Amino acid sequence: MLLESDQLDGQFVISTEPRPCAQDWHRLQFGSLHLALAPFSKTVSVLDATGKQIGAFLGAPIDLEQLRLIGEQYTIDARIDEIDDIDDFVETHIYRLTGSFLFILCTPTHRRIYLDANGTLSLVYDREARAAAATAAALLSGDQYHQRFRARLYKTLDVDSAGWFTGILTAHVGIDRLLCNHYLDLDTWTAKRHWPAAPVSTSTEPTAACARIFNRVTQTIEVLARAGKTSVALTAGSDSRLLLSCCRALLGKVTFATVKAPNANVDIDCAKRLAHTFGLPHEFLPYREATPSQAELWRLRAGHCVGGNNVKMHPSVQPLEGRYFVGGLGGEVGRGFLWLNANRDTVLDAKGLVSRLKLPQDEEVLRSVEDWLSPISHFDALLKLDLAYIELRMSSWGFCDSYVKPHQNEIHPMISRANYTDMLSLPPEARRKGDIYFRQIERSWKEISEIPINKYGNYRDVLRPAFSAIRNPKRAYRKAVQLIGALG
């Protein structure tokens, strides 16, 4: 017996054979693939230059060349039967897009699933059943969901608190996660890395690279604002400030939102100050805590692969339903998030990476990270750490909850192949210093750069670290473990 259909709104199943699904799900078939869509799932047909369907998008792809949110159809200016290099074809025609999407390729010679540049719409798959889906809940019956649950690892990883299943691991035996930068071959049901094929060259013009990132972010928000009501996250953080600077010419077209969460005083204080000083159309969202049933539904919609504070506070963002919500995830890629005490020639192994990710040294976790690390052993340590952040943290932790809010359209405009390539091209010394975005914010909107980032700007900043450690001793402990691991 399948789980109740309304628990899986916004989800889907992709298979090579038809599978049972709820009556209110929509069935599609293109080529030899079967696609079952729950209510509120969005698809876009992908055609080649002859008008032949060669695949489909799920989600919300955005074309910045035409400055549009792609609707029901996307036509590629190439004939699929004349393509010699399918990897180059996908990189050229699919990864030039931004937004949040998953791409299903189906031709007479290739059947694959690709994620966007950071897997903002996640995917898991059952190799034996030859089926892939949004989450394990869409693949398994209620009984199977409980029988195949990895209770030991779930507890070891402390998923209820701030842990997660990294790499291809999920909370269920036999269900693997597809990581971004890998495609799933639907003939062999194996995953293969497709990006990066080579190290990203260091830019000789980092200021120009930053300007390109800011321009793409601005264009993405502009496209969303034209498509519907759009709200932008406003906090005290640096990536939030980046988003704000990109909205300078869009103040009459977007609004800003901040959750009045407990222990978020610096965000609330800074958002209030920014809104008042610059006349931003801004709203504070009242903090609402999830009921036990709401929390359990959230976990189910995430396949029980992540937990943390979002489980508790997610009803607070319910007022954003029906509009586009612009978030700032992805910006940390340009700041070498996992680089602590590392250089290009630093020796990295699975144990060191797991420490940097603040996860326990569990045998299953170590094996998964070892398998991930092996194919990129020829890259230098800094690129390995960048890919670990993008794939083992963001793709696994940041977006395994892609489907928990099926009525909200969430877009993170810093995430795209072009933006990530520019971020990775920034000189290591500039990325390590961490202020290269700030310089561009100063150039884009100097006045907002004068309000401190992640600070009150007074005596309270001195007291914050102590209060933070008292409120969250587990986080302080994990940070200490990460530091010790990075030191060797």
Side-chain angles (χ1 to χ4, degrees):
M1 179 176 169
L2 295 173
L3 295 164
E4 294 181 21
S5 62
D6 63 347
Q7 295 179 325
L8 303 178
D9 282 353
Q11 300 203 25
F12 58 86
V13 176
I14 304 164
S15 59
T16 52
E17 298 292 337
R19 289 170 56 92
C21 63
Q23 289 185 348
D24 59 345
W25 283 41
H26 181 53
R27 295 176 182 269
L28 292 175
Q29 182 175 356
F30 52 94
S32 56
L33 296 181
H34 297 266
L35 179 59
L37 300 165
F40 304 103
S41 296
K42 300 175 183 178
T43 61
V44 177
S45 297
V46 179
L47 313 179
D48 78 350
T50 69
K52 179 189 301 182
Q53 184 168 4
I54 60 170
F57 286 115
L58 294 174
I62 296 172
D63 187 343
L64 293 186
E65 288 183 9
Q66 299 184 9
L67 291 178
R68 70 183 182 102
L69 183 67
I70 298 173
E72 297 180 355
Q73 185 173 295
Y74 174 63
T75 301
I76 293 172
D77 186 22
R79 292 173 58 106
I80 196 66
D81 55 6
E82 295 178 350
I83 300 301
D84 296 324
D85 187 336
I86 195 68
D87 293 320
D88 181 68
F89 170 82
V90 171
E91 194 64 36
T92 300
H93 296 284
I94 301 302
Y95 285 100
R96 73 175 189 83
L97 303 174
T98 185
S100 179
F101 63 84
L102 176 153
F103 174 57
I104 308 165
L105 174 70
C106 184
T107 74
T109 54
H110 296 92
R111 300 190 301 175
R112 299 175 177 178
I113 302 175
Y114 293 83
L115 306 178
D116 64 31
N118 213 152
T120 63
L121 289 185
S122 66
L123 183 95
V124 299
Y125 59 99
D126 186 331
R127 189 176 302 173
E128 289 191 9
R130 301 177 75 81
T135 67
L139 282 176
L140 303 175
S141 68
D143 290 342
Q144 290 176 325
Y145 193 88
H146 294 293
Q147 291 167 3
R148 293 167 66 170
F149 186 68
R150 286 184 164 118
R152 182 202 67 80
L153 191 54
Y154 184 90
K155 183 176 180 179
T156 298
L157 292 171
D158 194 20
V159 175
D160 274 336
S161 181
W164 75 94
F165 288 84
T166 193
I168 68 168
L169 293 173
T170 73
H172 293 84
V173 175
I175 306 294
D176 292 337
R177 179 170 304 285
L178 180 65
L179 296 176
C180 65
N181 303 325
H182 299 70
Y183 66 78
L184 178 62
D185 187 317
L186 298 181
D187 292 314
T188 64
W189 287 88
T190 56
K192 182 179 179 181
R193 178 178 292 279
H194 63 90
W195 190 88
V200 178
S201 299
T202 302
S203 173
T204 58
E205 297 181 337
T207 299
C210 267
R212 288 194 297 269
I213 294 168
F214 275 56
N215 186 54
R216 295 186 197 106
V217 171
T218 299
Q219 289 179 327
T220 301
I221 300 173
E222 182 180 3
V223 168
L224 294 173
R226 287 208 306 261
K229 189 173 181 180
T230 300
S231 292
V232 180
L234 187 64
T235 68
S238 58
D239 294 328
S240 173
R241 199 68 55 89
L242 187 161
L243 293 177
L244 176 57
S245 73
C246 291
C247 291
R248 185 174 190 179
L250 302 172
L251 296 186
K253 301 175 183 177
V254 300
T255 60
F256 298 85
T258 307
V259 176
K260 296 189 74 172
N263 304 322
N265 293 337
V266 67
D267 287 323
I268 294 168
D269 184 86
C270 190
K272 186 183 298 183
R273 185 176 175 186
L274 286 165
H276 175 75
T277 303
F278 301 103
L280 307 180
H282 174 257
E283 61 184 312
F284 278 112
L285 305 180
Y287 177 74
R288 291 174 52 202
E289 197 161 300
T291 65
S293 61
Q294 287 175 324
E296 187 54 30
L297 178 58
W298 192 102
R299 295 187 186 97
L300 177 73
R301 286 175 167 168
H304 280 83
C305 287
V306 71
N309 196 44
N310 285 339
V311 180
K312 183 187 295 186
M313 67 175 290
H314 77 271
S316 306
V317 299
Q318 191 172 358
L320 300 175
E321 291 183 359
R323 66 177 95 170
Y324 295 105
F325 177 62
V326 177
L329 294 182
E332 288 173 328
V333 171
R335 295 194 293 272
F337 186 83
L338 292 180
W339 282 15
L340 183 64
N341 297 315
N343 297 297
R344 291 188 186 277
D345 58 355
T346 297
V347 176
L348 295 175
D349 60 12
K351 288 185 177 181
L353 282 174
V354 169
S355 290
R356 287 175 184 270
L357 293 168
K358 306 179 192 176
L359 293 173
Q361 300 283 321
D362 179 85
E363 287 188 9
E364 283 189 82
V365 174
L366 289 171
R367 282 198 302 271
S368 179
V369 174
E370 284 173 358
D371 290 343
W372 173 87
L373 188 59
S374 179
I376 59 171
S377 59
H378 56 293
F379 290 149
D380 69 45
L382 297 185
L383 181 53
K384 289 175 186 175
L385 290 170
D386 288 333
L387 293 175
Y389 178 72
I390 293 169
E391 299 170 19
L392 300 183
R393 179 170 168 128
M394 290 300 293
S395 191
S396 302
W397 164 80
F399 297 113
C400 68
D401 63 354
S402 304
Y403 310 98
V404 298
K405 301 186 289 287
H407 309 294
Q408 182 175 307
N409 298 305
E410 189 169 307
I411 303 288
H412 298 273
M414 278 180 270
I415 295 174
S416 72
R417 176 72 86 239
N419 280 348
Y420 275 9
T421 300
D422 273 335
M423 289 179 194
L424 297 179
S425 79
L426 298 173
E429 58 273 16
R431 295 178 63 193
R432 200 183 296 275
K433 191 175 180 182
D435 66 349
I436 194 161
Y437 294 158
F438 187 76
R439 301 304 166 211
Q440 183 62 38
I441 292 170
E442 283 185 315
R443 288 186 287 270
S444 300
W445 194 351
K446 182 174 176 56
E447 290 79 7
I448 67 168
S449 72
E450 295 169 351
I451 292 180
I453 290 176
N454 278 326
K455 294 180 179 179
Y456 293 103
N458 56 33
Y459 71 92
R460 289 179 291 179
D461 295 321
V462 178
L463 303 176
R464 281 181 66 207
F467 287 140
S468 178
I470 293 169
R471 285 195 303 264
N472 197 340
K474 283 187 178 181
R475 185 177 185 276
Y477 173 76
R478 285 194 300 270
K479 186 68 175 176
V481 168
Q482 180 199 33
L483 178 60
I484 293 169
L487 290 172

